[in-house]
Amino acid sequence: MHRSAPRLTRILACAAVPVMLVVAGCSSDSDSTGDKSGSTDASAQSPSAASSPQPAAKPTPSVAPAKYTKLPDACKAITGETVEDLVPEVKNEKGTPGKSSDVDSRGSCAWNGLDDNGVKGSQYRWLDISLLRYESDPSLGSGEQRAQANYTKEVAKVKATEGATSIKTSPAAGVGNESTAVSYGLKKTGEDFKYAAIVTRTENVLITVSYNGAGYAGAKTPTPSDLMDDAVTASKEAVAAVAAANK
């Protein structure tokens, strides 16, 4: 009887307090492992203990590198011999370069001359070339794909020349990877000018050669076919110049 006295005293003391206090304070005979498991559950549900799922990394798209990484000097893309042949009495055989902030991506050059024979008539010629290089870009495609997409646009741009008449297009065989010849007429300075333009794609580079002329003071107007033959010659030289600049 004397050994159970302390336990009986505790039971009577707990009976004299509110139920909530009994639950909180009268637990000396309960198993302490329950409290430990409770604290473990709480920590397991803690935001700091739970790991947040990480978003999967998006793979970086890859494209083939551009074959050509630079352009030749546009004024040297057509040989001096061809310039003299196509543009008689050329004013500046070295050509007049166009402005470019990035000569490895774009360039242009132009030549003109007047073979003046007085009352016997005169022949005027203008030759120009433009070069556009496209770099590979993961978000835009490879350099070749970009050049292919813009090739059609360049042809359309030539065909849309303001005031152009009698527009004709045809493939220019044997020039670059793909090439289109565009011929048309244009009235300027009171004379009928004939134009021959060739748009060429060679890998990731676009080349546009434009050659035109007129006869003054009764001189014979050049034929579109003659102009086109000369434009093809200039275009082939430009294609070769691009390849040589990247060796």
Side-chain angles (χ1 to χ4, degrees):
M1 292 295 291
H2 293 288
R3 292 179 181 177
S4 62
R7 177 177 177 81
L8 178 59
T9 302
R10 288 196 303 272
I11 293 173
L12 292 175
C14 288
V17 297
V19 176
M20 293 301 292
L21 293 179
V22 173
V23 174
C26 301
S27 59
S28 60
D29 290 327
S30 62
D31 191 348
S32 61
T33 59
D35 290 340
K36 291 181 180 179
S37 63
S39 62
T40 302
D41 293 341
S43 63
Q45 297 175 3
S46 171
S48 60
S51 59
S52 300
Q54 298 297 320
K58 293 182 178 180
T60 302
S62 60
V63 294
K67 180 174 181 177
Y68 294 138
T69 59
K70 57 185 177 180
L71 294 175
D73 181 338
C75 290
K76 296 179 180 179
I78 300 174
T79 66
E81 182 180 353
T82 296
V83 169
E84 290 183 1
D85 185 37
L86 270 58
V87 187
E89 300 299 324
V90 59
K91 289 183 179 180
N92 179 6
E93 61 183 20
K94 293 183 178 180
T96 303
K99 294 181 179 180
S100 175
S101 58
D102 184 359
V103 294
D104 283 332
S105 294
R106 61 177 62 240
S108 62
C109 193
W111 300 261
N112 68 87
L114 177 66
D115 184 9
D116 190 352
N117 293 305
V119 295
K120 294 183 180 180
S122 303
Q123 289 289 338
Y124 178 82
R125 296 292 185 274
W126 175 285
L127 172 68
D128 67 61
I129 180 175
S130 70
L131 306 171
L132 292 172
R133 187 184 69 85
Y134 295 88
E135 189 58 82
S136 294
D137 187 310
S139 62
L140 300 174
S142 68
E144 184 175 355
Q145 290 172 332
R146 296 179 64 197
Q148 286 175 327
N150 283 280
Y151 168 75
T152 303
K153 294 179 182 179
E154 289 298 316
V155 173
K157 187 186 298 183
V158 174
K159 293 171 63 177
T161 299
E162 185 176 358
T165 60
S166 303
I167 302 171
K168 296 180 180 179
T169 63
S170 62
V175 186
N177 296 106
E178 53 186 333
S179 191
T180 298
V182 183
S183 65
Y184 58 93
L186 192 63
K187 191 82 170 181
K188 296 194 306 182
T189 62
E191 300 293 338
D192 291 320
F193 276 71
K194 300 299 181 182
Y195 280 74
I198 296 182
V199 179
T200 303
R201 181 185 68 81
T202 174
E203 305 298 345
N204 58 305
V205 174
L206 293 184
I207 303 169
T208 301
V209 169
S210 180
Y211 183 46
N212 67 82
Y216 284 92
K220 185 179 178 180
T221 300
T223 66
S225 60
D226 287 343
L227 292 175
M228 191 61 74
D229 288 343
D230 290 336
V232 167
T233 298
S235 296
K236 287 182 177 179
E237 290 185 356
V239 169
V242 171
N246 286 272
K247 288 184 178 179

